[in-house]
Amino acid sequence: MNSSRPYLVRALYEWIVDNDCTPHMLVNAEYPAVQVPQGFASDGQIVLNISPSAVRHLHMDNEAVSFEGRFGGVAHTLYVPTGAILGIYARENGQGMVFELEPPLMDDDELEGEDESDDDTDNPPPRPSGRPSLKVVK
């Protein structure tokens, strides 16, 4: 099943903009393939203003969010894989969503190196116990 993260990011972005608020995206700047100006990251994270007035050529799809933005008056092209997005929220009131840290996807070279004989059908992986938990993030 596809990750729900890119769908939620797009929906929340639209909702925030429709309510005349400023969408901000929290990004793991150390995630593989992330292209953000490193001088502006703090503790491996960066908050990006992705409002229509702050960026150009915004493109959101299931793989990544990309756009052009200015940092310190210098234009940069940014590329953020969806797995690197840690949250999206409205600057004015903090409403939005925070996501769990997502491990990077393995590329084809890493998949070829794995031993397929590790698949043990006699001992299935343990099932999660207890009930699923959801919490409200404000």
Side-chain angles (χ1 to χ4, degrees):
M1 185 172 245
N2 292 338
S3 171
S4 61
R5 185 176 305 206
Y7 301 94
L8 293 169
V9 168
R10 289 191 299 266
L12 286 165
Y13 173 83
E14 186 176 328
W15 175 72
I16 292 167
V17 171
D18 284 352
N19 284 285
D20 296 322
C21 291
T22 309
H24 280 203
M25 189 167 65
L26 177 62
V27 174
N28 176 356
E30 297 171 347
Y31 194 89
V34 167
Q35 295 176 2
V36 295
Q38 292 299 318
F40 294 88
S42 175
D43 295 326
Q45 298 180 347
I46 186 169
V47 175
L48 303 172
N49 176 350
I50 56 172
S51 69
S53 62
V55 302
R56 295 181 57 185
H57 308 297
L58 178 66
H59 179 75
M60 297 179 166
D61 60 26
N62 290 349
E63 284 73 43
V65 174
S66 60
F67 58 92
E68 293 176 11
R70 298 183 76 77
F71 292 82
V74 178
H76 292 271
T77 299
L78 289 87
Y79 180 84
V80 180
T82 55
I85 300 171
L86 300 174
I88 182 168
Y89 60 93
R91 177 183 66 197
E92 291 77 4
N93 58 21
Q95 290 188 3
M97 184 175 286
V98 177
F99 303 104
E100 290 184 17
L101 189 61
E102 188 171 286
L105 293 175
M106 291 188 291
D107 60 18
D108 292 339
D109 294 336
E110 292 178 78
L111 290 173
E112 288 174 8
E114 290 197 5
D115 185 4
E116 293 180 13
S117 65
D118 288 344
D119 188 19
D120 189 0
T121 57
D122 293 336
N123 295 322
R127 292 181 179 222
S129 60
R131 299 174 57 175
S133 63
L134 298 174
K135 62 182 175 182
V136 177
V137 178
K138 292 185 179 184

